[in-house]
Amino acid sequence: MGLQMDVAALTAFMKEAFEQVAEDFVVERVAEGEIAVRLKTGYRHLRPGGTVSGPSMFALADVSAYLVTLAMIGPKALAVTTNCSIDFMRKPAAGVDLVAEARLLKLGKQLSVTDVLIHSEGGDKPVARASLTYALPPAHVR
């Protein structure tokens, strides 16, 4: 199938389809079956104690899995999360963005499965890992 959307196309799609959160995320790199997405963390992403909240890390994992899937199937807004498992492994560094590296493990006719590792910017150990499954709209097969 090959790459259907590049960084510019994914960024434009996010701004059009998800304008309410698009500014929080930056697509840094996309290749066939892989993507890097940054969460620009701010005060609204913090929990008591000053660390990035679990829901913010979940959002980063979910957006990354969604975008790597769309990169391969094209702009299909109706691809939806059907499952997510996330492990929070260590406290994110304070005051820095989070970066997700997502890898598409399977792209089938009905489902995509993605593995996501989240790091604090500049950190070498992951702060979270997630596995996500997306249900794909029937029209994605060409």
Side-chain angles (χ1 to χ4, degrees):
M1 184 180 276
L3 197 62
Q4 302 295 307
M5 298 177 78
D6 61 10
V7 170
L10 290 167
T11 301
F13 178 83
M14 280 292 290
K15 287 180 181 174
E16 180 182 319
F18 299 99
E19 64 179 299
Q20 67 275 29
V21 297
E23 296 301 317
D24 286 352
F25 301 98
V26 177
V27 179
E28 295 195 332
R29 176 183 54 78
V30 64
E32 190 165 334
E34 298 180 357
I35 199 166
V37 179
R38 172 181 302 270
L39 172 64
K40 297 187 295 186
T41 60
Y43 179 74
R44 70 186 170 284
H45 299 109
L46 302 181
R47 57 165 286 144
T51 188
V52 176
S53 70
S56 295
M57 287 189 271
F58 170 83
L60 176 57
D62 194 39
V63 166
S64 299
Y66 182 67
L67 292 178
V68 75
T69 299
L70 294 187
M72 298 305 296
I73 68 171
K76 312 291 185 201
L78 295 180
V80 295
T81 310
T82 60
N83 188 56
C84 177
S85 173
I86 189 164
D87 297 307
F88 300 104
M89 299 185 292
R90 50 188 57 84
K91 183 178 177 179
V96 299
D97 291 347
L98 296 181
V99 178
E101 297 280 339
R103 185 170 53 110
L104 195 58
L105 301 177
K106 179 185 182 202
L107 180 61
K109 292 180 181 179
Q110 297 178 342
L111 299 173
S112 72
V113 179
T114 304
D115 187 57
V116 182
L117 282 178
I118 299 174
H119 291 80
S120 294
E121 181 180 33
D124 60 342
K125 294 183 179 177
V127 298
R129 72 153 289 285
S131 176
L132 293 101
T133 303
Y134 266 79
L136 305 178
H140 92 276
V141 180
R142 295 175 194 247

